[in-house]
Amino acid sequence: MLLDSFGRIHDYLRISLTDHCNFRCSYCMPVEEMEWMPQSKLMSIDEILSLAETFVSLGVKKIRLTGGEPLVRKEFPEILERLSDFPVELTLTTNGVLIHKHIDALKKAGVRSVNVSLDTLNREKFHKLTRRDQFDLVWENIQLLLKEGFRVKVNAVALHGMIEDEFCDFIQVTEKLPLHVRFIEFMPFAGNHWQSKEVVTASQMLEIAKEKFDVSKLEDKKHDTAKKYQVPGFAGTFAFITTMSAHFCGDCNRIRLTADGKIKNCLFGKEELDLLGALRKGEPIESLIRLSISQKHQALGGQFSADYEKADPDKIENRSMINIGG
Ligand code: SAM
Ligand code: SF4
């Protein structure tokens, strides 16, 4: 069992398969020139499997594949298939644009739930934000996932100047479609020029929702990062990921493994330990994992406080989101 010094059990691993991506979302990638990891620094399939096996032996029960865009990694189907042999819940966060190519592999591996990122329902805005004209394909792939029986969560980063206009449209979509839309408060990462005034909080969004809809609060489960709501009678739900305005670190069970094999005990943590380097030298991994978990800060990687308006992005040391694996 992986227990930190605050009594939190860590049983959920998020593995980044690559830092590469076929989209260019400005809130995720450094605005300046992005330096991609060289192939030799990425974990190979066998290395991913070996590290995952160690985590599973230490009590990990859920593995999420992420990136960069996990589906751009050529070996994705093989990695998925081999991970499906472990006794874990296997899941995926994706921008959705390659889903149609992998739908059979996802079904075969027993994946039941997929998170698809989609920040706007407007084709032009989508193109501008991702720098790719792929809205139609992403939307079709969301429908495909639903048709094939997957539980689909849609992740929308609440971007100031955009979400205010679209928020109610997203909720409206949940009337007929059983989608679970999650509005994520904008978070600071290296190179994304975060400013506190750009954060649209859950309570601001909820006020907008209540002007148009009857809204019911749903019960949240342990370890849920999202605070869930529903318009009674609608097929889907909506939720807020309130990392900035009301963090949920007290209940955190998450560990991250970057595409270059570093363990991060927190999304915002600057401390990393090199599991891949140790694996390649034949050194023990378990003690490094335990050390990392034991050093986890109480909240927000120890880098800023719950009062996010006081956070100084220039003082936060971290990778860009695309490099971490969200
Ligand atoms: N490419 C995949 C995707 O877009 O879903 C997986 C990786 S992406 C880094 C994982 C999630 O992080 C996405 O839902 C994305 O919207 C979210 N994300 C990226 N940068 C963010 C930021 N600055 N604040 C909040 N969420 C962010
Ligand atoms: Fe790529 Fe996902 Fe980041 Fe967008 S959010 S640039 S799709 S990794």
Side-chain angles (χ1 to χ4, degrees), residues 119-281:
D119 308 308
T120 170
L121 295 167
N122 176 294
R123 208 174 147 206
E124 281 78 44
K125 285 187 192 166
F126 182 96
H127 189 173
K128 201 166 162 214
L129 188 72
T130 62
R131 291 206 260 132
R132 299 292 182 267
D133 189 10
Q134 297 280 23
F135 173 80
D136 292 344
L137 187 50
V138 172
W139 189 244
E140 276 164 30
N141 279 341
I142 288 175
Q143 315 272 349
L144 176 66
L145 284 165
L146 288 176
K147 187 170 131 258
E148 296 292 342
F150 289 88
R151 181 177 167 83
V152 183
K153 295 184 193 163
V154 170
N155 287 347
V157 179
L159 295 168
H160 180 48
M162 197 160 93
I163 198 66
E164 294 88 343
D165 292 341
E166 295 216 32
F167 181 66
C168 289
D169 297 341
F170 269 109
I171 298 179
Q172 194 59 57
V173 163
T174 69
E175 180 177 10
K176 298 275 186 288
L177 296 178
L179 289 173
H180 305 282
V181 184
R182 293 129 43 94
F183 301 98
I184 310 177
E185 291 175 351
F186 179 40
M187 304 176 218
F189 296 103
N192 77 352
H193 298 264
W194 179 92
Q195 294 183 55
S196 63
K197 65 175 194 272
E198 298 291 327
V199 176
V200 185
T201 64
S203 49
Q204 288 165 340
M205 286 184 262
L206 200 54
E207 264 178 45
I208 302 177
K210 284 178 175 167
E211 281 171 22
K212 178 152 184 208
F213 301 102
D214 257 348
V215 171
S216 294
K217 178 79 190 77
L218 300 176
E219 201 181 316
D220 300 317
K221 286 197 241 109
K222 189 168 164 62
H223 301 309
D224 270 353
T225 52
K227 297 174 179 60
K228 288 201 271 323
Y229 294 81
Q230 187 168 38
V231 178
F234 279 21
T237 64
F238 68 98
F240 301 106
I241 300 188
T242 59
T243 315
M244 304 311 298
S245 67
H247 70 71
F248 29 82
C249 304
D251 191 26
C252 185
N253 63 344
R254 292 174 293 281
I255 315 163
R256 288 180 159 79
L257 184 60
T258 63
D260 57 348
K262 309 282 193 310
I263 181 174
K264 278 178 86 78
N265 59 23
C266 172
L267 179 58
F268 295 114
K270 59 173 179 269
E271 300 86 5
E272 299 179 352
L273 293 177
D274 185 7
L275 299 191
L276 181 59
L279 183 73
R280 287 183 179 175
K281 285 191 224 138

Side-chain angles (χ1 to χ4, degrees), residues 14 16 18 20-23 25-29 64-71 92-96 115-119 154-159 182-190 192 194 241 243-244 256 267-268 320-326:
R14 303 165 76 106
S16 172
T18 177
H20 284 247
C21 190
N22 39 10
F23 284 6
C25 310
S26 54
Y27 54 76
C28 176
M29 296 181 72
R64 174 175 301 279
L65 301 179
T66 181
E69 173 49 41
L71 298 183
L92 172 76
T93 299
T94 171
N95 61 29
N115 290 9
V116 181
S117 301
L118 180 69
D119 308 308
V154 170
N155 287 347
V157 179
L159 295 168
R182 293 129 43 94
F183 301 98
I184 310 177
E185 291 175 351
F186 179 40
M187 304 176 218
F189 296 103
N192 77 352
W194 179 92
I241 300 188
T243 315
M244 304 311 298
R256 288 180 159 79
L267 179 58
F268 295 114
S320 57
M321 181 60 135
I322 197 166
N323 255 316
I324 298 172

Side-chain angles (χ1 to χ4, degrees), residues 58-73:
L58 293 171
V60 161
K61 296 191 175 61
K62 177 171 172 180
I63 294 181
R64 174 175 301 279
L65 301 179
T66 181
E69 173 49 41
L71 298 183
V72 301
R73 179 129 182 195

